[in-house]
Amino acid sequence: MMKQLLDKLAQAMGQLDHLGQEEFVALVGEALEDYPDLGWELGPDPVDDQRLRLSLAVRNAPEFRERAAASGLLPLVGDGWEIGLGVPPRNGPIYLEAQAGDEVLAIDGELMGWQMRASDDMVDLVVGIPPGPLRQLGQAELEELAEIFAQGELGELNMMDHVNSVSVEQIEALSRDWPSLATLRAGFADAFPACAYAEWLRGSRS
């Protein structure tokens, strides 16, 4: 089953240059129809932006992740593309926009802080919210925002393997105790040196 699935996905990736977006989405959807808990995302590989990566989102499919890892068939690399497990960290600015009533908030993640608090062999990640427009958002919205930023900075597999929870706290300002979110990747890689993308995380925002 695993090889059959990957053969179908590889066929779709191999035809990508000749397919329209809807055709490609349909092919991938057909390949994954027996795996309803599995998501996917297509984008540049953060380590090599010349390579296109089809990432299988496994956060809601841990059993699939185990079977895929045990198969030894992933990552599957083709000519200019790769199929792999887990949505990788984002290779881009720490920036989002959020709706607050009628206003669109431009959110610079580098102005937010972070702490990692030990929780058994994992960590609870706390995102610090400084004074400003972000405080117009409710607690649930802030926690959702923090989760999006955290996954964008660390990637899906690291969130699954090493982060027990993500929460938010109000802070007065960035400080030694609450460094900028721009330093989270390096701090995380130091705390978990064997984590996914460790070397890239250390240098990606230096």
Side-chain angles (χ1 to χ4, degrees):
M1 287 288 288
M2 186 65 61
K3 187 177 186 309
Q4 184 180 16
L5 167 63
L6 295 180
D7 284 346
K8 290 181 179 179
L9 293 176
Q11 184 178 18
M13 291 298 287
Q15 299 179 56
L16 187 57
D17 290 342
H18 309 291
L19 295 174
Q21 180 177 340
E22 291 185 3
E23 294 172 299
F24 179 78
V25 169
L27 275 180
V28 174
E30 180 182 336
L32 297 179
E33 63 183 353
D34 292 331
Y35 303 90
D37 294 329
L38 201 62
W40 64 276
E41 183 175 299
L42 182 69
D45 185 283
V47 178
D48 179 2
D49 60 10
Q50 299 302 307
R51 182 169 58 201
L52 205 56
R53 189 179 198 274
L54 178 64
S55 302
L56 300 179
V58 293
R59 195 160 196 177
N60 296 320
E63 292 182 1
F64 176 89
R65 179 190 177 187
E66 290 179 7
R67 293 199 305 272
S71 74
L73 297 174
L74 289 169
L76 179 61
V77 179
D79 184 12
W81 56 264
E82 175 181 309
I83 301 170
L85 290 174
V87 177
R90 307 285 184 197
N91 188 10
I94 316 174
Y95 176 84
L96 284 175
E97 293 183 349
Q99 192 78 31
D102 295 330
E103 184 180 357
V104 176
L105 302 181
I107 303 168
D108 182 352
E110 294 194 21
L111 302 179
M112 302 164 74
W114 66 275
Q115 290 184 353
M116 288 192 298
R117 300 171 184 171
S119 176
D120 296 325
D121 57 347
M122 302 178 77
V123 293
D124 293 320
L125 177 61
V126 186
V127 175
I129 308 299
L134 268 182
R135 295 196 181 173
Q136 298 177 43
L137 301 176
Q139 184 74 10
E141 293 169 307
L142 287 172
E143 289 177 354
E144 181 180 1
L145 184 69
E147 182 85 22
I148 292 170
F149 271 127
Q151 179 152 315
E153 288 302 284
L154 303 178
E156 184 179 39
L157 297 186
N158 285 329
M159 293 289 289
M160 292 177 69
D161 292 344
H162 304 296
V163 179
N164 181 58
S165 68
V166 179
S167 60
V168 296
E169 288 184 12
Q170 293 190 4
I171 61 174
E172 293 184 5
L174 296 179
S175 64
R176 178 176 294 181
D177 290 336
W178 289 97
S180 166
L181 207 58
T183 67
L184 172 60
R185 288 178 171 175
F188 188 88
D190 287 343
F192 299 101
C195 72
Y197 297 97
E199 183 177 352
W200 183 83
L201 290 176
R202 283 193 186 92
S204 68
R205 297 209 183 279
S206 59

